[in-house]
Amino acid sequence: MAQVPDFVSLNGPDNVGKTTHLVRLAGRWDGFQPLGAVHEHDPEPWARVAAGDYARWWFETSTTVELTEMLLAGHAKRAAAREAGRTGLLDRGLPMLLAVATATCVVKDGLTVGEAFKTVTGIAGSRATAPETAILLLPSLDAERSYAITSAREDRPWTGVYPAYQKTLHAVLLHQVDHGAYTAVVDCEGLSLDDVHADVLGHVGLPRLTDGSPR
């Protein structure tokens, strides 16, 4: 089996299949350690802000510095939970966390994508992180179509500021792609779930096997 990194993250907008593919990856090899999302490893501050009007805090009252620092603190604690010799599976890795903060900054502060991206990366600085294979799953390489696909998969319509945030997030992700933020990008449009997973396996370094046992 090819050498795998300390961390593998699956990234992308809502409803693109991140959780589904992380579960499938975890079932292929016992060397994978599912580590989930950042709030699971730093629950206290997230529980505190969620106790009130969570959407208002996220999109109105929190500062970009506060939100970005909370995301990064959770990411650092999540990384520290990885067991030696195992590959941590991340639901949204560092590039995606920066994308989330950037899209929020655009919506909240009225900046352009480029301006908000510089603001957030400036806050993040050069945080020491372990090697991460960051795979971006996109419903489409066209931002408007990508948003249309993911919003149609939602059980009920997005309301309030969330549609604007999601549209902005798609644009931010494509901005990151242009700047080489991800190890690999999977264009999911027209692909079956199995085809997408085969691409994910290829980028992770696992053979595309059908028996579930990497060699």
Side-chain angles (χ1 to χ4, degrees):
M1 174 178 159
Q3 183 177 0
V4 291
D6 288 345
F7 298 97
V8 169
S9 67
L10 294 190
N11 309 275
D14 288 7
N15 303 326
V16 75
K18 297 184 293 294
T19 301
T20 298
H21 292 291
L22 284 168
V23 169
R24 291 183 67 170
L25 277 178
R28 289 190 70 91
W29 180 49
D30 59 10
F32 282 133
Q33 180 187 359
L35 291 173
V38 292
H39 68 270
E40 298 170 41
H41 297 267
D42 194 22
E44 191 279 327
W46 293 102
R48 185 176 65 250
V49 299
D53 187 334
Y54 187 54
R56 184 171 181 271
W57 174 84
W58 189 286
F59 292 111
E60 295 181 30
T61 61
S62 68
T63 65
T64 299
V65 171
E66 181 183 12
L67 176 60
T68 304
E69 290 290 354
M70 279 182 62
L71 290 167
L72 292 173
H75 178 65
K77 290 184 178 182
R78 178 174 61 175
R82 183 182 69 89
E83 298 169 1
R86 301 188 74 189
T87 294
L89 293 179
L90 310 180
D91 182 349
R92 300 175 182 84
L94 181 59
M96 184 70 194
L97 299 179
L98 298 181
V100 165
T102 298
T104 306
C105 181
V106 170
V107 172
K108 185 166 51 183
D109 299 334
L111 301 181
T112 66
V113 167
E115 291 168 343
F117 186 70
K118 288 180 181 178
T119 298
V120 169
T121 53
I123 295 168
S126 56
R127 306 288 174 107
T129 57
E132 175 185 338
T133 293
I135 301 171
L136 176 62
L137 307 179
L138 284 177
S140 172
L141 296 181
D142 176 83
E144 291 188 8
R145 178 158 176 75
S146 187
Y147 169 79
I149 292 170
T150 54
S151 60
R153 294 173 180 168
E154 191 71 10
D155 291 337
R156 57 182 183 271
W158 285 322
T159 59
V161 72
Y162 208 68
Y165 163 74
Q166 279 292 322
K167 290 176 182 178
T168 303
L169 179 60
H170 284 73
V172 171
L173 293 172
L174 291 174
H175 178 85
Q176 288 182 311
V177 170
D178 290 340
H179 288 76
Y182 295 94
T183 309
V185 179
V186 177
D187 178 3
C188 302
E189 189 164 13
L191 298 182
S192 70
L193 186 68
D194 287 343
D195 287 340
V196 172
H197 196 68
D199 278 351
V200 169
L201 290 175
H203 293 308
V204 170
L206 291 174
R208 304 184 183 198
L209 302 179
T210 57
D211 64 3
S213 56
R215 301 190 183 101

